[in-house]
Amino acid sequence: MMGKDYNISDFGAVGDDVTDDTQAIRAAISECAEKGGRVVIDGGRIYRCGAVQIKGSVTIFIAKGTTLKASDNLEDYDLFASSQLHEVNGSTWDNYDYAGRPSKFFLYAENCSNLTLCGEGVIDGNDKIFFGRESKYHIEGKFYPRIPLIFFENCKNVRIENLTIQKSGFWTVHLVGCDGVEIENIKIFNDLRLACCDGIDPDHCKNVTIKNCHIEAADDCIVFKTTEAAKKYGACEHIKVSGCRLVSTSAAIKFGSESVSDFKYIEISDCIIERSNRGISFQLRDGGCASDIKFENIAISTRRFSPVEWWGKAEPVVITSLRRKAQSPLGKIKNITFKNIKMNCENGIFIYAEENGAVSDVRFCDCSLELVKKTDWAKNTHDIRPCEGKGIIEAPMNVINSTNALGIIFENFKWSASDEMTAEMGDYIYSCESDLKFN
């Protein structure tokens, strides 16, 4: 039997896009957690609030036409104690690391079970309060790290469905050490110029399903992480992604770059990647091992974005293992399968390992690549950031470029290139310093 509805209006929420409704929302959640039921946000209004802690056995329902919008005041996100956001001095794409634990929050939950965010309404992150330097192709955040829109840690049985989530100022849905997560039919629309606004970040999570979602985000759309701050939760494993449409100014699907623990038993299928700077990217930089990962029935269309701020060169698939810093451990990538991947891109497949064998046993089955010129950006470099040093290698474009990898197999692989793209290539269609085989 469904429990009682707790409408935030009954707790004093106004919803006029001006009044701070934080206390009313918190009160509704507290009573709901105590007695059971769901918190209802409705009325076709815009409710403003700061940090809110969601408790166990609580459903938050946001009705169609209704918006829950983040506060304009940065101090309103101090859920536990006063904290400072650090202003950016330089560029986040080169100079900043993030251990994975923010100091301020918006929607927050920890150490609880049976949480649901649902409805057909909108969660708005009010991203403009974080804008720093702006250009045609990039917005540098004023602060780093900024505030994740949804941050759940060590939670079990989490469900997020049917909502539209927009204008996040940082990682949109950051799930840390969670077990049993279902995300279905959500839409994420972030500014494609604002750096570090990932879509969904399963971080040390287990038993996760993501399906039928539409995500437009900068940097990455769906990115699996194992951050340093959450190392105690172990591997990111047993995850399925299907039926998603993804648009990204970095990578539509990424592993890393934070990789202190393993990624394994992950399946991604029946997705469409379009208008992205990279399709699928492995960027292990802090040790860890990515293994037993399968991609099937995926259409990838890439195009170049600004070559300075965004990592990547419009590759459909990138597999790289390097040390973030000289003292960092080197990660391993192995037993990766790509099946029926159709690629229409401005660059070729790129595989790079800092040491021989750090990437091994990668199989491409029934895959095709069509190289098509879509922008005027130069195509004479390869991007291995983040790493020690500049991270840009000057070299011609190839259909496949592979370095220090073992057991790379292509079965029934087909490719074509327009005349314009053929002119961009070097002397070798396949630039290979690896164990590369064609069947």
Side-chain angles (χ1 to χ4, degrees), residues 239-271:
I239 297 172
K240 291 186 177 181
V241 177
S242 64
C244 294
R245 185 179 291 266
L246 310 172
V247 178
S248 169
T249 32
S250 194
I253 298 169
K254 190 172 89 171
F255 295 77
S257 62
E258 297 84 359
S259 59
V260 301
S261 302
D262 293 346
F263 309 89
K264 55 187 178 181
Y265 312 125
I266 297 173
E267 298 179 10
I268 300 171
S269 64
D270 303 304
C271 293

Side-chain angles (χ1 to χ4, degrees), residues 300-314:
I300 301 175
S301 176
T302 65
R303 65 178 180 88
R304 289 291 304 276
F305 283 76
S306 171
V308 176
E309 298 93 351
W310 304 108
W311 292 341
K313 305 293 183 179

Side-chain angles (χ1 to χ4, degrees), residues 217-358:
D219 291 10
D220 312 297
C221 291
I222 299 174
V223 48
F224 306 99
K225 294 183 178 292
T226 53
T227 57
E228 179 64 36
K231 190 173 183 179
K232 63 184 178 182
Y233 296 116
C236 199
E237 60 184 336
H238 297 290
I239 297 172
K240 291 186 177 181
V241 177
S242 64
C244 294
R245 185 179 291 266
L246 310 172
V247 178
S248 169
T249 32
S250 194
I253 298 169
K254 190 172 89 171
F255 295 77
S257 62
E258 297 84 359
S259 59
V260 301
S261 302
D262 293 346
F263 309 89
K264 55 187 178 181
Y265 312 125
I266 297 173
E267 298 179 10
I268 300 171
S269 64
D270 303 304
C271 293
I272 296 173
I273 296 170
E274 57 189 358
R275 293 186 292 120
S276 292
N277 198 43
R278 273 179 170 166
I280 297 166
S281 179
F282 288 80
Q283 289 175 279
L284 270 62
R285 297 296 183 268
D286 308 300
C289 178
S291 65
D292 301 293
I293 298 169
K294 299 178 181 179
F295 303 88
E296 187 170 5
N297 301 333
I298 299 175
I300 301 175
S301 176
T302 65
R303 65 178 180 88
R304 289 291 304 276
F305 283 76
S306 171
V308 176
E309 298 93 351
W310 304 108
W311 292 341
K313 305 293 183 179
E315 308 95 336
V317 175
V318 175
I319 303 174
T320 60
S321 176
L322 296 95
R323 292 176 174 86
R324 186 183 300 274
K325 299 177 181 178
Q327 67 273 22
S328 299
L330 183 64
K332 305 288 186 181
I333 302 171
K334 61 183 181 181
N335 195 20
I336 312 297
T337 301
F338 298 88
K339 185 175 181 180
N340 192 28
I341 313 297
K342 299 186 184 304
M343 299 165 272
N344 180 284
C345 303
E346 272 201 298
N347 209 333
I349 295 166
F350 183 69
I351 303 170
Y352 186 97
E354 185 174 316
E355 293 182 2
N356 193 40

Side-chain angles (χ1 to χ4, degrees), residues 15-31:
D16 60 1
D17 196 19
V18 176
T19 302
D20 182 356
D21 290 320
T22 305
Q23 294 308 318
I25 296 170
R26 288 179 178 177
I29 290 172
S30 293
E31 189 161 339

Side-chain angles (χ1 to χ4, degrees), residues 8 13 15 17 19-22 24-26 29 39-42 44-52 54 60-63 65-71 77 106-108 117-118 120-126 149-150 163-167:
I8 63 170
D17 196 19
T19 302
D20 182 356
D21 290 320
T22 305
I25 296 170
R26 288 179 178 177
I29 290 172
V39 173
V40 174
I41 303 173
D42 64 5
R45 301 170 182 163
I46 299 175
Y47 296 90
R48 289 293 198 112
C49 72
V52 171
I54 303 172
I60 294 183
F61 175 83
I62 305 174
T66 302
T67 299
L68 181 66
K69 187 173 182 179
S71 171
Y77 302 101
F106 183 52
L107 301 183
Y108 170 88
L117 297 177
C118 63
E120 297 182 51
V122 175
I123 300 174
D124 188 316
N126 195 20
L149 203 60
I150 297 169
L163 293 165
T164 295
I165 306 174
Q166 65 187 27
K167 300 181 181 180

